[in-house]
Amino acid sequence: MREDLITMTIDPVTHDLGGFKVHRTLPSRPRTMVGPFIFFDQMGPARLEVGTGIDVRPHPHINLATVTYLYAGSLDHRDSLGTFATIEPGAVNLMTAGHGIVHSERSPSAERTIGPELSGIQTWLALPERDEEIDPAFEHVTAADLPVIEGKGATARVVMGDLWGATAPTTTYAQTIYADIALTPGGSIPIDPSADERALYVSMGEASLDGLPLLPMTLYVLRPGVAATLRSERGAQVMLCGGEAFKTPRHVWWNFVSSSRDRINQAKQDWTAGNFPKVPGDDKEWIPIPAVPKTVSYP
């Protein structure tokens, strides 16, 4: 067993959102970011009651990019650019907030009739300072367009960046690695040591890294430059994330991320005043500014 592999272990904070739970490991008190990743949520797994669904009302973001990746279920995405896109397992939605965007995520009507299923990972990426105020954008990459690596009882889908000799077509702003690794019983895969910062997260099942057991729903920050092999005796679903280390820390308050606290305060005022754009087709309700947000991190 190699104790030198892990520099930090981050336990999740769990929130019950009514019908399903989310397990949040970033941002945390011990660490705000791993590469550009500044928010890491596991949604579910859950099966909701017939006639109900996920209804994340319109809400704003600035200076970040959201990444939605599902294991099961589907979600309808709408945003203030006029985008409508349904995400399904294995695909990726990348929404770049830039100087400001508003979006909603809801269960499709067809799924509500059978009881929606939800299982997946929601992450946010901090944008480099040069890109924080770029124009908002949305990108949907299908599962068929993401490269898949096979071997030794492992199937790895490269969601973002360059891994195992394959490159995902998903846009990146900073050097980013992100992959969904499925291990069958006895399966293994090497973990590339090239990124500045890396972390592993076991979403489901059981896994170990060079003999070191990895607990589920826990984020393990890996020591830079160290190569290791991920294994599972009984099968697992594991996310690998990371990328370049940011030199400038980021402020996080609710759905806002920025290198400037003043910019976040401006975004609070703009949302309260109704200065953000509306979501076409979903503009009758919205999430108000919370008095005490669940997500806060100051450098």
Side-chain angles (χ1 to χ4, degrees), residues 7-8 10 25-35 37-38 196-199 219 221-222 224 245 297:
T7 63
M8 185 175 294
I10 302 173
T25 47
L26 287 178
S28 67
R29 287 188 181 275
R31 189 171 185 127
T32 302
M33 299 174 69
V34 177
F37 289 83
I38 197 163
D196 290 346
E197 298 179 345
R198 302 165 298 157
L219 194 70
V221 182
L222 308 185
S297 179

Side-chain angles (χ1 to χ4, degrees), residues 37 44 57-58 77 80 82 95 102 132 141 161 166 177 179 200 209 216 234 242 244 257 261 279 282 284:
F37 289 83
R57 294 167 292 159
H77 164 97
S80 51
M95 186 187 73
V102 180
E132 284 187 309
V141 183
I177 58 168
L200 287 170
L209 189 66
R234 298 188 297 275
E244 71 177 80
V257 168
R261 192 165 180 175
V279 178
D282 195 352
K284 304 302 184 205

Side-chain angles (χ1 to χ4, degrees), residues 262-282:
D262 288 342
R263 180 66 181 91
I264 287 179
N265 288 334
Q266 181 63 55
K268 293 181 196 178
Q269 295 171 19
D270 287 341
W271 182 244
T272 301
N275 294 335
F276 275 84
K278 306 296 184 185
V279 178
D282 195 352

Side-chain angles (χ1 to χ4, degrees), residues 29-267:
R29 287 188 181 275
R31 189 171 185 127
T32 302
M33 299 174 69
V34 177
F37 289 83
I38 197 163
F39 181 94
F40 196 106
D41 256 13
Q42 179 174 1
M43 307 176 290
R47 170 75 74 175
L48 281 68
E49 294 182 6
V50 172
T52 66
I54 306 299
D55 283 297
V56 182
R57 294 167 292 159
H59 59 280
H61 291 286
I62 62 162
N63 292 189
L64 59 80
T66 67
V67 184
T68 304
Y69 183 84
L70 299 182
Y71 299 130
S74 61
L75 287 171
D76 285 343
H77 164 97
R78 288 180 172 85
D79 64 40
S80 51
L81 299 174
T83 306
F84 173 78
T86 301
I87 185 172
E88 296 177 332
V92 61
N93 276 2
L94 174 71
M95 186 187 73
T96 303
H99 59 70
I101 198 168
V102 180
H103 77 129
S104 65
E105 291 175 303
R106 301 181 185 268
S107 297
S109 56
E111 290 220 351
R112 295 172 188 264
T113 63
I114 59 173
E117 189 175 4
L118 181 68
S119 180
I121 304 292
Q122 181 97 53
T123 58
W124 299 350
L125 306 175
L127 295 175
E129 286 182 85
R130 65 180 180 274
D131 295 322
E132 284 187 309
E133 296 292 333
I134 60 174
D135 289 339
F138 178 83
E139 180 174 305
H140 175 84
V141 183
T142 67
D145 288 330
L146 294 173
V148 175
I149 311 302
E150 305 266 5
K152 294 188 178 180
T155 301
R157 176 174 282 113
V158 182
V159 181
M160 300 182 81
D162 302 304
L163 284 164
W164 303 290
T167 302
T170 316
T171 296
T172 58
Y173 298 97
Q175 194 267 327
T176 306
I177 58 168
Y178 195 28
D180 170 24
I181 303 168
L183 298 171
T184 60
S188 66
I189 191 169
I191 299 301
D192 194 316
S194 60
D196 290 346
E197 298 179 345
R198 302 165 298 157
L200 287 170
Y201 181 91
V202 180
S203 305
M204 292 171 275
E206 161 278 323
S208 63
L209 189 66
D210 277 10
L212 182 68
L214 304 179
L215 296 175
M217 298 177 181
T218 303
L219 194 70
Y220 290 89
V221 182
L222 308 185
R223 190 170 300 282
V226 175
T229 299
L230 181 70
R231 290 184 172 85
S232 178
E233 296 303 318
R234 298 188 297 275
Q237 201 89 30
V238 182
M239 301 302 289
L240 168 65
C241 67
E244 71 177 80
F246 276 39
K247 293 180 174 60
T248 306
R250 292 297 187 272
H251 301 266
V252 184
W253 195 92
W254 191 42
N255 298 314
F256 305 134
V257 168
S258 182
S259 59
S260 165
R261 192 165 180 175
D262 288 342
R263 180 66 181 91
I264 287 179
N265 288 334
Q266 181 63 55

